[in-house]
Amino acid sequence: MRQIFSQWAIIISAIALLYACHQPSEKNKKKIFRYNEYAGIASLDPAFAKNQSTMWPAHQLFNTLVEIDDSLNIKPSLAKHWDISPDKTTYTFYLRDDVWFHDDACFPDGKGRKMVASDVVFSFQRILDPKTASPGAWIFNGKVDSIQPFTAINDTIFQLKLLRPYQPILGILSMQYCSVVAPEAVQQYGVDFRQHPVGTGPFKFVVWEEGQALIFAKNEKYFEFDSAGRRLPYLDGIKISFKDSRATEFLLFRQGQLDFINELDPSFKDEVLTKKGTLRKKWQDKIELQTHPYLNVEYLGFLMDTTNPLVKNAPTRFKKVRQAINYGFDREKMILYLRNSLGTPAQSGFVPKGMPSFNDSLVKGYNYNPVKAAQLLKEAGFPGGKGLPPIKLLTISGYADFGNFIAKQLEELGIRVQVEVVQKSLLFEMTAGSKTAFFRGGWIADYPDAENYLSVFYSKNPAPPNYTRYNNPEFDKVFEQAIQETNDSIRYALYRKADQIAINDAPVVPLWYDKVIHLVQKNVKGFTTNALNLLELRHTQIE
């Protein structure tokens, strides 16, 4: 009982300390990075790190074998280096021997132990285990050996076996799903591991008052050092709040109670940014604006399954109607006026700008061409929109303005689009269940390989990721060649070929290639953006 009271005393002290950290006297003592997660956090278990809100905290608490650097290259993390067999099916990783799990009651005397190769085996098998019900099971399904995919050769050598060559595997292993967890913690806490995580990351879990605050503290035994030999991270801790209003979040940032905010709500973007995407004069001395190409494509999707009753009589079953919609609105004006120039009009393929294989001179998409759109509409049997029934577009509130902009321009061609706003959860349910014929979507890269985007169109994939139910044998053939090709130049050419095939069929309407947008306080240093928009705090300092 004394031990329980002691643990609660530590937690209460931590809460009191970190809640007070915005006060100048306390802030001088403890360097705490503060941000708000307005969408909430569903779990701290990396097996469920399926979106940005869960990936960010997982990245602080856990490590992966390899990680992505700022130039989108694979670099070592828990693995110092690796070998690949001549047949490209066996990957042997040589692990660091100086990595320790966070101190926790699941270990004898509460002291974390050294991480070994069997922990990697456990973590990866857990992803595949149906009992875990991880949404990340797809990362290994059909890719790794069905008998013994993961092997601990000894404490510092881990081996992964593939069914066949699969070039993007290292990118897969950099995902938060592939974080190495402490088996003792999973076994002791069971389903409660979601709110009591134990990893090897730069920060360790302290307390989570769901809906109020989540607090991490510096891992004093973290294995990484800077170039001067100083142990990382520099920060003393992280505090995450959960205000569900973007207006409240912005107000807290203005008051200096948050160190950064991600993205800008449409309701106050014009107050902060010019139409050219720069800070307005009154903000230039107060905050920093960080932008960076973001591996995210925003799009509208068409359901392509002609056996579905929603599609059988829908005008969007005709390719020329889908192409007319693609040509029928001005992406450049939309980005200028509705995004303050923060983003690139998507006039190439589905694979976005910033991806190594991206080349908009080789993959041709759709620009604003109302004459071409009108001609396609006529060829489809709907001259000037005559005989064309209204088309319902399902979207969420944050994207309603874009839907209305597109609808207004398409109306000039005779294409009537009815924009219907629904809850995000309902939109996901309807797209995953093929219950809507025309919908808003977005696809953020899990790792920097075009395969991650093109898998959206692979006919053998369910939804997600193939929400449109696109099925083209020619596309599938090129896609399958690409993911087995080990020569980067050849693989990129195949990716571009597959992208062009899909874009020509127009199962989607690419809208824009995104940008990371961060507003950051002036006293925050060493806080950088990256193309995956992964929250990186190891080198961050607060002055």
Side-chain angles (χ1 to χ4, degrees), residues 46-59:
F48 296 88
K50 65 179 181 178
N51 51 32
Q52 184 174 277
S53 65
T54 49
M55 289 164 66
W56 280 9
H59 187 58

Side-chain angles (χ1 to χ4, degrees), residues 253-254 256 258-259 286-288 519-524:
F253 176 74
R254 290 185 65 170
L258 295 175
D259 291 299
K286 298 176 181 177
I287 61 173
E288 299 285 347
L519 297 183
V520 188
Q521 302 290 0
K522 286 280 190 180
N523 66 327
V524 177

Side-chain angles (χ1 to χ4, degrees), residues 1 21 41 64 90 102 104 126 131 138 143 174 187 193 221 227 278 296 305 339 385 391 404 443 458 477 486 491:
M1 184 64 73
C21 71
I41 295 174
T64 48
T90 302
H102 303 150
D104 188 84
R126 181 171 176 260
K131 293 178 183 176
W138 64 269
K143 301 179 182 78
S174 73
Q187 289 154 6
F193 184 71
K221 297 192 293 185
S227 58
T278 59
N296 175 43
D305 180 7
R339 291 277 300 172
I391 302 167
N404 291 328
W443 194 261
Y458 187 46
K477 182 180 178 181
T486 57
R491 189 168 80 259

Side-chain angles (χ1 to χ4, degrees), residues 47-48 124-138 141:
F48 296 88
F124 288 6
Q125 286 178 336
R126 181 171 176 260
I127 296 295
L128 281 174
D129 188 348
K131 293 178 183 176
T132 305
S134 169
W138 64 269
N141 283 339

Side-chain angles (χ1 to χ4, degrees), residues 119-169:
D119 299 318
V120 184
V121 174
F122 174 87
S123 301
F124 288 6
Q125 286 178 336
R126 181 171 176 260
I127 296 295
L128 281 174
D129 188 348
K131 293 178 183 176
T132 305
S134 169
W138 64 269
I139 66 174
F140 292 135
N141 283 339
K143 301 179 182 78
V144 297
D145 183 75
S146 55
I147 300 171
Q148 192 168 7
F150 315 122
T151 306
I153 305 298
N154 57 37
D155 280 356
T156 58
I157 300 178
F158 167 78
Q159 200 167 77
L160 180 148
K161 289 187 178 180
L162 299 171
L163 285 169
R164 61 189 68 85
Y166 178 66
Q167 193 62 20
I169 189 63

Side-chain angles (χ1 to χ4, degrees), residues 279-293:
L279 282 176
R280 292 194 178 277
K281 191 172 182 179
K282 73 172 186 176
W283 289 95
Q284 289 174 3
D285 296 330
K286 298 176 181 177
I287 61 173
E288 299 285 347
L289 169 67
Q290 296 181 348
T291 63
H292 193 283

Side-chain angles (χ1 to χ4, degrees), residues 118 198 262 291 299 333 387 411 458 513 527:
S118 60
V198 181
N262 178 58
T291 63
Y299 69 96
K333 276 189 178 178
E411 189 176 11
Y458 187 46
Y513 310 129
F527 180 64

